[in-house]
């Protein structure tokens, strides 16, 4: 599978999801997982073998291209604003995020992104805009959704001041504005439950405070 095969046309993929949503999502997820294995292979070569500077540069470029291809398969909203230009801009990502294998794909992808990128920011903004849709139901501590929230929290730690402000904006305009916070305080007293939304919000507020934003 080539690094450029994960993108495709958003309209065509949206149509596929509308007509045969589960089948289309499974294909997208399997393609993404296959590309993740390619990223792992690149990382293994860089870590275990002695490669010259030219080869290292080529491998690094390939790694970036693979990650960009995976990100494109999520069909994240375009642009550099946390404010959606299209009402259903998060629809494909949210569909994937509601499937267990989709959650594993997204969390594995984020864990392989060592620094903030435009596409990682878009993932964070989608999460903050849809906290209730994603985390309203309780999740077990060993669930894929708990792994996803941990990966999101890890990514938040890489944000700069501008990125943090954008994420705060996404949160303030998201579904928590009308539906309240999906925080599960009782999870603190149950070792089998995990407060996904609480972890993510704490990570954002901690990063903001650490950057001197005083929130």
């Amino acid at each position: 599978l080539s690094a450029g095969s994960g993108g495709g046309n958003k309209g065509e993929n949206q149509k596929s999801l509308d007509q045969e949503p589960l089948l289309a999502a499974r294909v997208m997820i399997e393609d993404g997982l296959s590309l993740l294995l390619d990223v792992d292979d690149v990382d293994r070569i860089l870590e275990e073998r002695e490669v010259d500077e030219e080869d290292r540069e080529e491998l690094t470029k390939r790694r970036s291209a693979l990650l960009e291809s995976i990100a494109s398969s999520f069909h994240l909203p375009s642009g550099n604003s946390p404010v959606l230009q299209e009402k259903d801009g998060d629809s494909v990502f949210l569909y994937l995020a509601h499937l267990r294998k989709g959650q594993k794909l997204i969390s594995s992808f984020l864990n392989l992104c060592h620094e903030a990128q435009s596409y990682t920011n878009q993932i964070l903004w989608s999460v903050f805009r849809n906290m209730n849709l994603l985390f309203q139901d309780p999740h077990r501590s060993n669930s894929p959704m708990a792994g996803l929230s941990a990966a999101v929290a890890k990514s938040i730690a890489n944000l700069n001041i501008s990125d943090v402000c954008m994420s705060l904006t996404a949160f303030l305009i998201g579904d928590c504005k009308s539906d309240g916070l999906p925080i599960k305080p009782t999870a603190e007293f149950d070792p089998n439950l995990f407060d996904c939304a609480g972890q993510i919000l704490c990570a954002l507020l901690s990063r903001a405070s650490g950057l001197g934003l005083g929130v």
Side-chain angles (χ1 to χ4, degrees), residues 81-201:
S81 171
V83 180
L84 283 179
Q85 302 302 312
E86 299 179 7
K87 185 177 180 180
D88 62 346
D90 289 327
S91 60
V92 175
F93 175 78
L94 288 175
Y95 194 93
L96 296 176
H98 275 91
L99 301 174
R100 289 177 64 86
K101 291 191 73 172
Q103 294 158 16
K104 293 178 180 180
L105 169 62
I106 297 167
S107 60
S108 297
F109 171 76
L110 287 175
N111 286 328
L112 286 173
C113 296
H114 301 320
E115 56 186 26
Q117 302 283 350
S118 60
Y119 46 78
T120 56
N121 285 342
Q122 287 287 359
I123 290 176
L124 298 185
W125 298 343
S126 291
V127 169
F128 281 117
R129 283 192 295 261
N130 299 280
M131 296 284 280
N132 278 282
L133 278 175
L134 292 171
F135 306 122
Q136 187 62 55
D137 296 330
H139 296 281
R140 301 186 71 82
S141 56
N142 61 347
S143 67
M145 188 61 90
L148 173 57
S149 66
V152 169
K154 178 182 174 182
S155 296
I156 290 172
N158 295 325
L159 299 182
N160 58 31
I161 290 179
S162 176
D163 293 338
V164 168
C165 291
M166 292 286 198
S167 293
L168 285 169
T169 300
F171 170 69
L172 292 173
I173 66 174
D175 60 9
C176 289
K177 182 178 180 180
S178 57
D179 300 333
L181 297 173
I183 294 176
K184 305 288 188 294
T186 55
E188 296 182 11
F189 307 101
D190 188 338
N192 294 318
L193 295 181
F194 191 79
D195 186 4
C196 298
Q199 182 191 34
I200 291 173
L201 287 175

Side-chain angles (χ1 to χ4, degrees), residues 48-65:
E48 298 178 357
R49 301 182 187 176
E50 292 186 8
V51 294
D52 57 38
E53 185 175 344
E54 183 177 349
D55 288 340
R56 179 173 293 274
E57 184 177 349
E58 285 300 314
L59 286 168
T60 301
K61 288 180 178 179
R62 172 163 173 75
R63 187 183 194 279
S64 297

